[in-house]
Amino acid sequence: MSNKSMWNAFRDGQKYMTEWPVRKELAPMFPENRVIRATQFAIKVMPAVAVISVLMQMAFNNYSGLPQAMIMALFALSLPLQGMWWLGKRRETQLPPALAGWYRELHEKIVSEGGAVQPMKSRPRYKELAQTLNRAFKQLDKASLERWF
């Protein structure tokens, strides 16, 4: 994997965190809700864990434990990156056939009720599903959504 594609995956993961509708109705069907929440938590907490793990060794003059603390700090800092990388890869993954059919049905329902949505993709990815789900939650009433959730 080239550095450019790795950075693209991180950038796409950040986009996907904002695109995906974190809704309780979707939680049983998709891991995105859990991964997004865990990644957001890791972004807030892990830098502090990394700094504290190193400073604790230094505060107690335990320089022999410093290499382990540094490894722990690097691991803590890698957790948010792992979440963003997974989300970035997931965003660009093509939907499996059953989910692609569900995407098409939902897309057609939005269009039939006069909703504005991007043109249907012949080979949809998770990012198109996220965009369509967002539209569905904004434009369809609860009765229409109950068929899918």
Side-chain angles (χ1 to χ4, degrees), residues 7 10 18 22 24 29 36 47 54 63 71 73 90 105 110 119-120 134 140 147:
W7 290 119
F10 292 142
T18 61
V22 180
K24 65 181 179 190
M29 296 179 277
I36 289 170
V54 172
Y63 292 103
I71 300 267
R90 176 75 163 200
E105 286 178 33
I110 295 169
M120 190 183 306
N134 269 320
L140 298 179
R147 179 181 184 281

Side-chain angles (χ1 to χ4, degrees), residues 89-123:
K89 290 296 183 184
R90 176 75 163 200
R91 181 180 189 261
E92 296 301 322
T93 301
Q94 189 173 330
L95 294 175
L99 210 47
W102 188 61
Y103 156 82
R104 288 182 190 93
E105 286 178 33
L106 191 56
H107 190 281
E108 288 169 3
K109 179 69 175 171
I110 295 169
V111 170
S112 72
E113 292 197 11
V117 68
Q118 292 185 355
M120 190 183 306
K121 303 287 184 188
S122 61
R123 298 176 67 194

Side-chain angles (χ1 to χ4, degrees), residues 64-80:
S64 64
L66 197 56
Q68 292 89 344
M70 298 287 277
I71 300 267
M72 188 172 135
L74 289 173
F75 175 73
L77 292 173
S78 78
L79 290 175

Side-chain angles (χ1 to χ4, degrees), residues 2-148:
S2 71
N3 283 341
K4 185 176 180 180
S5 66
M6 187 184 327
W7 290 119
N8 287 345
F10 292 142
R11 189 191 68 230
D12 289 346
Q14 286 180 308
K15 283 183 196 173
Y16 196 49
M17 282 198 305
T18 61
E19 289 173 339
W20 185 261
V22 180
R23 304 275 304 232
K24 65 181 179 190
E25 300 94 327
L26 300 174
M29 296 179 277
F30 299 99
E32 275 82 351
N33 289 13
R34 293 182 301 279
V35 174
I36 289 170
R37 286 196 174 117
T39 302
Q40 290 170 336
F41 177 77
I43 288 169
K44 291 177 187 171
V45 173
M46 289 302 140
V49 169
V51 169
I52 289 169
S53 69
V54 172
L55 289 179
M56 289 294 287
Q57 296 300 317
M58 295 172 77
F60 294 112
N61 287 326
N62 185 7
Y63 292 103
S64 64
L66 197 56
Q68 292 89 344
M70 298 287 277
I71 300 267
M72 188 172 135
L74 289 173
F75 175 73
L77 292 173
S78 78
L79 290 175
L81 295 175
Q82 291 176 47
M84 283 189 285
W85 183 81
W86 185 89
L87 290 164
K89 290 296 183 184
R90 176 75 163 200
R91 181 180 189 261
E92 296 301 322
T93 301
Q94 189 173 330
L95 294 175
L99 210 47
W102 188 61
Y103 156 82
R104 288 182 190 93
E105 286 178 33
L106 191 56
H107 190 281
E108 288 169 3
K109 179 69 175 171
I110 295 169
V111 170
S112 72
E113 292 197 11
V117 68
Q118 292 185 355
M120 190 183 306
K121 303 287 184 188
S122 61
R123 298 176 67 194
R125 295 168 290 184
Y126 278 91
K127 75 176 179 181
E128 283 89 27
L129 178 61
Q131 293 162 354
T132 303
L133 285 168
N134 269 320
R135 283 285 170 212
F137 285 119
K138 287 177 185 167
Q139 295 178 353
L140 298 179
D141 60 2
K142 280 192 171 190
S144 297
L145 288 172
E146 284 178 2
R147 179 181 184 281
W148 283 281

